[in-house]
Amino acid sequence: MNHANQQNKRRLRRIGRRRGRCLTKGHLLLRIKKHSGYVEVKNAELKLLSESRKISNLIFSLEFHQRQPVGDKIQPCTYSLYMTDDEGAVISDRQTVIADKTSDNAAARVFRVRFNLKAGTYDKKKVYRLVIANDIDVEEVEFHIDIAFADDFGFDL
């Protein structure tokens, strides 16, 4: 072994003793790299739980499910929820849901959200959309709005 290699070996032993590691084994010089732990963190997902895609009142509620509990690899996420018409105009109030539940029980991760549609007429043949948005993703779910007494009483006179 040459002189420079012996000096490096002694220096590494001193460093290793200070850090509590054995850095040499026989005649081999081992290099130890400390890797920083990288863990991929995802946002908590929020999905529409209600099955009906038909709205029949100006005030209605929908249920949403946070798919995974918040933990080491899942971080809380804030969602904005609202209804739009076929042109993208907002037709309801905006609701905010913070998906931050840590329970392993799926039933404990359900959110019931109440919406208020703006007063006006709604065409039951048109498609309206529920928007579920966070800082990264936007999901849209199609709905039909059929409010019986919104514009008239259904009598043709």
Side-chain angles (χ1 to χ4, degrees):
M1 208 184 275
N2 67 23
H3 181 66
N5 201 8
Q6 285 178 343
Q7 283 181 332
N8 283 338
K9 190 174 178 181
R10 275 189 236 121
R11 187 176 61 80
L12 287 172
R13 272 196 198 132
R14 283 194 304 267
I15 293 169
R17 275 189 230 120
R18 277 186 262 154
R19 294 184 183 163
R21 296 187 195 117
C22 176
L23 296 173
T24 60
K25 184 175 184 178
H27 295 287
L28 296 174
L29 182 62
L30 300 177
R31 289 187 177 165
I32 295 179
K33 280 189 177 180
K34 198 169 190 180
H35 295 283
S36 60
Y38 174 75
V39 177
E40 185 178 350
V41 177
K42 297 187 327 186
N43 287 333
E45 293 179 46
L46 192 68
K47 295 294 179 190
L48 180 63
L49 192 60
S50 303
E51 291 183 20
S52 176
R53 299 294 184 258
K54 184 176 178 183
I55 298 169
S56 57
N57 289 306
L58 291 175
I59 299 172
F60 63 97
S61 295
L62 296 173
E63 289 188 342
F64 297 86
H65 179 248
Q66 178 184 322
R67 295 185 66 182
Q68 318 90 339
V70 170
D72 293 337
K73 295 182 181 181
I74 306 295
Q75 69 181 357
C77 188
T78 301
Y79 288 88
S80 179
L81 311 170
Y82 54 93
M83 297 292 298
T84 63
D85 62 10
D86 57 347
E87 297 172 358
V90 177
I91 59 169
S92 73
D93 53 349
R94 289 180 184 260
Q95 299 295 337
T96 300
V97 171
I98 301 171
D100 62 352
K101 308 269 187 193
T102 57
S103 175
D104 287 330
N105 181 1
R109 297 190 312 267
V110 173
F111 299 87
R112 186 171 179 85
V113 182
R114 186 172 170 162
F115 293 91
N116 294 297
L117 290 176
K118 292 180 180 178
T121 58
Y122 297 98
D123 186 347
K124 63 183 173 183
K125 295 177 183 132
K126 285 188 179 180
V127 174
Y128 299 90
R129 288 179 177 78
L130 168 69
V131 178
I132 306 169
N134 63 23
D135 293 338
I136 301 168
D137 299 316
V138 176
E139 180 183 349
E140 294 183 345
V141 181
E142 291 185 355
F143 275 82
H144 290 279
I145 300 176
D146 185 10
I147 300 175
F149 300 111
D151 54 357
D152 61 18
F153 292 95
F155 299 112
D156 293 327
L157 299 176

